[in-house]
């Protein structure tokens, strides 16, 4: 049986407490509060990978934008984060 780790990747990833899902035209994003990680599934390569730097909690919400980027919010305690998978950019949107 595979290990539950936030840095695991592959077509098969075991989630502990998935709390949010968002989809772009190219990818599927799954936020797992149990692992504290945001995962990106790429259907063209059939690969799931954890996105470094994402802070996921039970209060996390994610939303896909029309440009292919994803917004992550964890309530009012931390800033809204944005990831752009094409430019590999992860940064704060609002404080």
């Amino acid at each position: 049986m595979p290990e539950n780790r936030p840095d695991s990747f592959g077509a098969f990833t075991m989630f502990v407490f998935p709390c949010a899902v968002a989809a772009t035209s190219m990818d599927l994003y799954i936020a797992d509060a149990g692992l504290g990680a945001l995962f990106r599934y790429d259907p063209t390569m059939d690969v799931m990978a954890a996105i470094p730097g994402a802070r996921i909690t039970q209060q996390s919400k994610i939303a896909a934008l029309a440009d292919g980027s994803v917004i992550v919010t964890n309530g009012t305690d931390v800033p809204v984060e944005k990831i752009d998978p094409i430019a590999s950019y992860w940064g704060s949107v609002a404080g």
Side-chain angles (χ1 to χ4, degrees), residues 74-86:
N74 289 309
T76 59
D77 293 339
V78 295
V80 173
E81 302 286 336
K82 180 179 179 181
I83 182 169
D84 179 353
I86 296 169

Side-chain angles (χ1 to χ4, degrees):
M1 177 165 279
E3 221 179 299
N4 286 341
R5 294 180 12 205
D7 61 344
S8 64
F9 64 94
F12 181 79
T13 301
M14 290 183 59
F15 297 110
V16 175
F17 187 77
C19 60
V21 175
T24 66
S25 61
M26 299 293 292
D27 301 307
L28 181 67
Y29 293 86
I30 300 108
D32 189 311
L35 295 173
L38 178 64
F39 292 89
R40 175 179 165 246
Y41 174 68
D42 181 345
T44 58
M45 296 179 61
D46 194 26
V47 171
M48 180 89 65
I51 298 172
R55 294 174 290 181
I56 302 299
T57 67
Q58 290 180 354
Q59 293 80 29
S60 292
K61 305 289 186 250
I62 59 177
L65 304 179
D67 66 359
S69 60
V70 175
I71 296 289
V72 178
T73 181
N74 289 309
T76 59
D77 293 339
V78 295
V80 173
E81 302 286 336
K82 180 179 179 181
I83 182 169
D84 179 353
I86 296 169
S88 298
Y89 172 75
W90 180 264
S92 179
V93 174

